[in-house]
Structure formats: structure tokens, C-alpha cells
Amino acid sequence: EKRKVVCSTVATFSEGGEGDISTYFLLVKRSIEPSKHFWCLPGGFLEMGETIVEGLKREAREEAKAKISQSELLAVYNLPKVGQVQLVYDSRLTSKEVEAGDESEEVGLFAWEKIPWHELAFPTVSWALMHYEIKRKCWLPQSNTKNSSALNKPTLCFSNPEVNDSNLFWSPHLGFHLEEHWKKCPKKFQK
């Protein structure tokens, strides 16, 4: 059997003005197994003949009736134990109007401090949210950064704590070791 490609997105909606921006994360509560009744990112298996971005848009539409734009690669998770390669993208929601689709019990836009960390469906959901936050806090251009374009490139994350204790997180522009951030991850994901 061949490995499956899964695409998902950390889809956000931001509102507010200069210095007072609020960001909300789209999560969907699964109505199907595995992990029924738990929250996850919009995503799923790629279908034959569709591009990754087409798959992201389809999954966001099917699961949350959401429209996304500005998608760029955030993370790649190599998960041989479950036969998957997961491609996680950073995307923007075009509006706050979301509602549950056929595979979702509920959908929600959560501020960072309101994310239901202990009700997340899979460890990869937590990893992706944390990688997004690392990117946002550490790598987005600052007004006093001379070479800000180098800091705004997509981030690649290769993590597989189930197989490897190194938990290496790599970026083409900075390099990073996930061990520091991994300690902040909710305990249920630190197996």
C-alpha cells in the first residue's frame, strides 16, 4: 500500500487596525471517525487530478463552508507509522462567515488563548498551530528589519516525535530546533 498525501490549512481571519489586530483560527469539530467530536484544521486527502491548493480550498469549503486565499506552505509532516505525508499551509479566510459542513459537527473561529488544546483531534493539529505561531512571532518582517523579504519565505517543518527523538524543525532562512518549542506543547501530545 502506498502512503497518502493529506493537505490541511491553518486558516486565519484578522481584524482590527494598526497595533490592535486580532487573529482568529478556524477549527472544525469532526463528525466522523477517527477522532469524532474533536477539533481539527480543515483538511483531508488529496483527490486525483487536483493541486494542493485546490484540495485546500475544497476541504475548507466542504468542512466549514469557508473560502481561503493567500496559501503558502507552512509545514511538512512525515508520518510513516500512519502512512501519511501531511502538507500544512498557512491561509487567509476571505470572511468570517463559516458554518459546519457534512463532515463537521461544528466550526469555530478561536482567538489563540481560546483554542481548545485538550480537545484537538490529532497531534499534527497542535504542531501546525504552534509552527504558525513561531512563524508569526519570530519570522514575520519587523519594521526595523533590513532584509525583511528573506524572513517572509515559507517555512518547512519536519517533525515526527513518534519515530525520532530529535524533533527537528527547519526553516530555509533561519534554521530552528523544535525541542525548545516542543516543551510548550500540551502534555497529551508529548508522547
Side-chain angles (χ1 to χ4, degrees):
E1 188 176 346
K2 296 187 182 202
R3 294 175 74 187
K4 296 179 174 129
V5 177
V6 176
C7 63
S8 62
T9 184
V10 176
T12 58
F13 183 82
S14 296
E15 61 186 2
E18 180 104 13
D20 188 28
I21 297 174
S22 298
T23 300
Y24 301 93
F25 297 83
L26 175 64
L27 295 177
V28 297
K29 188 178 267 190
R30 295 174 59 85
S31 65
I32 58 173
E33 293 294 350
S35 297
K36 188 175 181 178
H37 311 303
F38 286 87
W39 294 96
C40 68
L41 301 170
F45 297 111
L46 280 178
E47 294 181 357
M48 291 300 292
E50 81 181 342
T51 68
I52 296 166
V53 173
E54 289 169 345
L56 293 172
K57 289 180 177 183
R58 176 185 50 76
E59 289 290 346
R61 189 177 54 252
E62 288 176 358
E63 295 180 2
K65 301 195 179 179
K67 292 182 181 175
I68 58 171
S69 66
Q70 299 179 359
S71 298
E72 70 175 31
L73 184 63
L74 175 68
V76 176
Y77 300 121
N78 179 24
L79 303 167
K81 283 190 175 182
V82 294
Q84 295 177 1
V85 172
Q86 293 191 9
L87 306 171
V88 183
Y89 278 70
D90 173 359
S91 304
R92 298 298 151 268
L93 291 165
T94 60
S95 83
K96 295 183 1 175
E97 271 89 62
V98 295
E99 62 181 88
D102 293 340
E103 297 177 357
S104 308
E105 289 178 9
E106 186 180 344
V107 297
L109 290 171
F110 295 89
W112 181 260
E113 61 277 0
K114 300 288 185 183
I115 292 172
W117 293 102
H118 297 292
E119 297 175 36
L120 297 179
F122 310 106
T124 52
V125 177
S126 178
W127 301 345
L129 289 167
M130 292 196 184
H131 290 152
Y132 174 90
E133 194 66 358
I134 289 171
K135 176 184 172 187
R136 186 181 74 79
K137 287 190 172 179
C138 301
W139 297 335
L140 287 180
Q142 304 297 317
S143 57
N144 61 356
T145 303
K146 289 183 181 175
N147 189 6
S148 62
S149 63
L151 296 175
N152 209 13
K153 292 181 182 173
T155 302
L156 301 177
C157 313
F158 300 92
S159 300
N160 194 352
E162 299 158 338
V163 175
N164 184 340
D165 290 333
S166 67
N167 301 323
L168 187 61
F169 175 67
W170 177 80
S171 159
H173 46 277
L174 292 178
F176 198 87
H177 200 279
L178 185 59
E179 292 295 336
E180 290 293 314
H181 193 66
W182 187 250
K183 294 172 187 164
K184 297 176 187 173
C185 190
K187 295 292 183 207
K188 79 175 198 171
F189 297 138
Q190 294 184 24
K191 295 179 182 177

